[in-house]
Amino acid sequence: MPGRYLNSASGCCPASKARSARCDAYQASPQFSRHLLADAQREPGGYPGEVPFSPADPQDTPHDIPDGAPSAADLDLRLVRYFTVVAAHRHFGRAAAELLVAQPSLSRQVRRLEQQLGARLLDRTPQGTQLTEAGQVFLPQAKALLRSAARAAAATKAAAQPTHITIGYTPGLIITPAVRQLRHQHPDADVQSLHLDWNEPREALLDHRVDAVVTRLPLATDGLHVTILYDEPRLLLVPLDHRLAGKESVTLDDIAGEPIPRMADPAWNAYWRIDPRPDGRPAPDGPFVAALEDKNELIASGQAVAIVPAGVYSGQVRPDLTTIPLHDVAPSHVILATRAADRNRLVAAFRKAAQDCLTGPPGEPAA
């Protein structure tokens, strides 16, 4: 994620009704039926259930509704989102599974978007679904359009309904005391919580899925307001039969040659792998993992060790894993992050509640 990292009931006008009637007539036409039949086919270079795209094909253009032809301002955000999900997966099947829609329906929706834009965005290849040159140009604009729409909707909702807040939190962190205090102080407020993966906090804030999030550093802080809540020890996670298991504590020298798993985020790797080490040496590379469960399985099988936050593994260690206090490294920092320009009064109230109630790792007495 680019950015600086901190590490310590609607009406309808007559014209619209007329266009709608003509659209209904078009959907009952032979041309429309031809499209439905084409969905059972698969031509080279097309999507599953799609015919080759040709914006100039007269059979594909409903000439009986020229005043209803979409312009740039008529883009359906739902179709735009579908495209971004397919682009992320490079696979219609996996994208359809994430979106909870049928794959042929997803293919038709993306084709509708291409017809609105007048350009093919995706191509099928033996290696999977690939972005065309036009698709590469449209993708960042599509993401920006969706984000702008989400911000506009969230800001409008916050102005009309200033009694709603969603609070995110990442693995191993307990926010219940602060949430309970906020609900007690604002009994009419709609206070929701949402669990996030370790790498979701910033995106969830900027996409307005959450209004505040309790998480750990490192985190790119551009556009965010960050409050450090407390420090949390870092531990060494090893398999139960590891040579260091059972020791009262260990240092980085004890694991100088031990491989440590890598994640997708370079800043996260530098912090949690302690890479480079204080003496300048690089941390030994370990296998790449994407999920906490995969990391645990890797370590339990004896292929690596890991430096972990105490809160994630407090009383939750698998029977074949154990943790050891890690000395000579600074503790990690648990933080509250919010959008810097957010004026929701409940955000400020939750920040105060978090500072009052979230003062140490789970299980430790309040400061």
Side-chain angles (χ1 to χ4, degrees):
M1 180 74 65
R4 178 171 58 88
Y5 275 87
L6 178 62
N7 286 325
S8 336
S10 64
C12 181
C13 69
S16 295
K17 290 181 178 178
R19 285 196 300 269
S20 178
R22 285 194 292 271
C23 287
D24 290 342
Y26 171 65
Q27 290 184 351
S29 68
Q31 292 94 331
F32 185 76
S33 299
R34 185 183 62 81
H35 282 298
L36 292 180
L37 291 173
D39 286 337
Q41 303 173 1
R42 161 116 180 259
E43 297 291 339
Y47 311 144
E50 286 298 312
V51 295
F53 173 74
S54 177
D57 184 352
Q59 295 296 323
D60 284 344
T61 304
H63 296 291
D64 56 335
I65 51 170
D67 58 339
S71 68
D74 295 322
L75 284 179
D76 187 332
L77 291 180
R78 179 174 58 94
L79 304 185
V80 175
R81 183 170 71 90
Y82 283 4
F83 162 71
T84 62
V85 176
V86 176
H89 287 281
R90 297 295 199 272
H91 193 280
F92 272 85
R94 288 192 291 268
E98 177 181 328
L99 292 165
L100 302 179
V101 299
Q103 183 173 321
S105 175
L106 177 59
S107 298
R108 291 194 297 271
Q109 302 312 313
V110 173
R111 179 168 170 78
R112 282 182 56 199
L113 177 63
E114 291 179 322
Q115 289 174 329
Q116 288 182 3
L117 293 171
R120 176 171 283 283
L121 303 174
L122 297 159
D123 278 331
R124 297 278 292 184
T125 72
Q127 291 74 37
T129 301
Q130 302 295 329
L131 289 168
T132 64
E133 183 174 352
Q136 293 174 6
V137 171
F138 183 61
L139 181 58
Q141 305 294 331
K143 291 179 177 179
L145 178 62
L146 292 173
R147 178 165 290 175
S148 177
R151 288 174 177 170
T156 303
K157 185 177 180 179
Q161 302 175 6
T163 58
H164 173 85
I165 184 172
T166 299
I167 303 159
Y169 61 101
T170 51
L173 296 174
I174 295 176
I175 62 172
T176 311
V179 171
R180 292 184 67 177
Q181 177 170 306
L182 182 64
R183 286 176 174 155
H184 176 75
Q185 294 174 342
H186 299 270
D188 295 331
D190 177 19
V191 180
Q192 303 291 332
S193 59
L194 180 66
H195 183 267
L196 302 170
D197 285 339
W198 65 271
N199 58 344
E200 289 189 293
R202 178 179 174 84
E203 180 181 352
L205 280 168
L206 296 181
D207 288 348
H208 289 257
R209 284 188 286 143
V210 299
D211 304 295
V213 60
V214 177
T215 187
R216 297 176 178 89
L217 294 178
L219 180 73
T221 61
D222 295 9
L224 302 182
H225 181 288
V226 173
T227 303
I228 295 178
L229 298 175
Y230 59 86
D231 292 343
E232 183 181 49
R234 287 193 269 185
L235 307 176
L236 181 69
L237 183 67
V238 299
L240 202 57
D241 58 356
H242 192 273
R243 61 182 177 84
L244 297 175
K247 292 181 69 71
E248 290 187 3
S249 65
V250 293
T251 67
L252 287 176
D253 288 338
D254 293 319
I255 58 170
E258 297 276 0
I260 298 180
R262 292 168 292 155
M263 308 296 271
D265 188 335
W268 192 270
N269 283 333
Y271 188 80
W272 287 104
R273 287 166 36 84
I274 310 182
D275 186 18
R277 297 293 164 80
D279 60 5
R281 291 178 299 169
D285 276 346
F288 178 85
V289 295
L292 178 64
E293 292 79 7
D294 294 334
K295 181 171 70 174
N296 289 345
E297 183 61 32
L298 191 70
I299 295 166
S301 67
Q303 299 181 63
V305 301
I307 299 170
V308 298
V312 174
Y313 292 90
S314 176
Q316 300 178 28
V317 182
R318 288 169 36 154
D320 51 358
L321 296 175
T322 187
T323 57
I324 313 164
L326 182 59
H327 286 179
D328 74 7
V329 298
S332 65
H333 302 292
V334 174
I335 65 164
L336 171 67
T338 62
R339 293 179 292 274
D342 201 324
R343 295 187 293 272
N344 187 334
R345 64 186 179 90
L346 292 176
V347 169
F350 181 74
R351 182 179 297 113
K352 178 63 167 59
Q355 291 174 309
D356 290 345
C357 302
L358 308 183
T359 58
E364 285 194 3

